[in-house]
Amino acid sequence: MSRVSRISLLTAGLAIPGLVLAPAAFATTYADAIQLSWSGTDFAPTTTESFIGAPVAVPGDSASRTLQVRNAGPSAGVLTASIVDVEAGDLETDSFYDDLTISWNGGSATFADLVAAGDTEILEIPLAQGATTPVTIGYEFPADATSGNATDGGAREAAFNVVLSI
């Protein structure tokens, strides 16, 4: 019987214009790694951390953060990470969400694409018992983007969660 641990974390939000990046909390050593609970009682089964804070972005902005994830379970497993609960403003009339890109280990997508796709698996790797691996997520708002310039649209907001499972 396979045991699965899920940890829901990393709510991220973006708004336009100006730049405010909150300090990112991320693990830099094995001892600081997020440890997934196999039982749901040995470690907290969920946590909220922010990969990219709650920045206010202008064209040319980008940032990324890395979170270390450790398999604290009794055996090897497969770590999966998925972007879920993607929220964005008016996709029909605002091209901002076509310009704003989220990137991860080996891939990327616009916010508009993530909304259309629903839950998006971004990582699936074997992880030995006690092993640690980095999970990196970032955003980019291209320097040549002109979306978001209209003042009548108000602030643009986008958010997502990341779920890690072993």
Side-chain angles (χ1 to χ4, degrees), residues 15-76:
I16 297 299
L19 174 63
V20 177
L21 284 176
F26 61 94
T28 57
T29 67
Y30 177 84
D32 296 331
I34 293 292
Q35 300 179 56
L36 296 182
S37 169
W38 285 68
S39 66
T41 59
D42 295 334
F43 302 96
T46 63
T47 187
T48 302
E49 298 287 334
S50 178
F51 265 113
I52 56 177
V56 176
V58 297
D61 284 347
S62 65
S64 68
R65 300 292 185 269
T66 300
L67 176 72
Q68 296 292 328
V69 179
R70 181 170 72 97
N71 179 353
S75 65

Side-chain angles (χ1 to χ4, degrees), residues 28-135:
T28 57
T29 67
Y30 177 84
D32 296 331
I34 293 292
Q35 300 179 56
L36 296 182
S37 169
W38 285 68
S39 66
T41 59
D42 295 334
F43 302 96
T46 63
T47 187
T48 302
E49 298 287 334
S50 178
F51 265 113
I52 56 177
V56 176
V58 297
D61 284 347
S62 65
S64 68
R65 300 292 185 269
T66 300
L67 176 72
Q68 296 292 328
V69 179
R70 181 170 72 97
N71 179 353
S75 65
V78 175
L79 171 65
T80 60
S82 298
I83 293 177
V84 301
D85 303 326
V86 181
E87 296 178 13
D90 185 2
L91 298 174
E92 299 282 324
T93 62
D94 196 339
S95 63
F96 168 73
Y97 303 101
D98 293 315
D99 290 336
L100 183 62
T101 302
I102 300 299
S103 60
W104 56 85
N105 308 56
S108 66
T110 67
F111 248 92
D113 290 340
L114 289 170
V115 168
D119 294 354
T120 302
E121 186 175 287
I122 61 171
L123 180 70
E124 180 179 83
I125 59 168
L127 194 59
Q129 180 186 19
T132 302
T133 192
V135 177

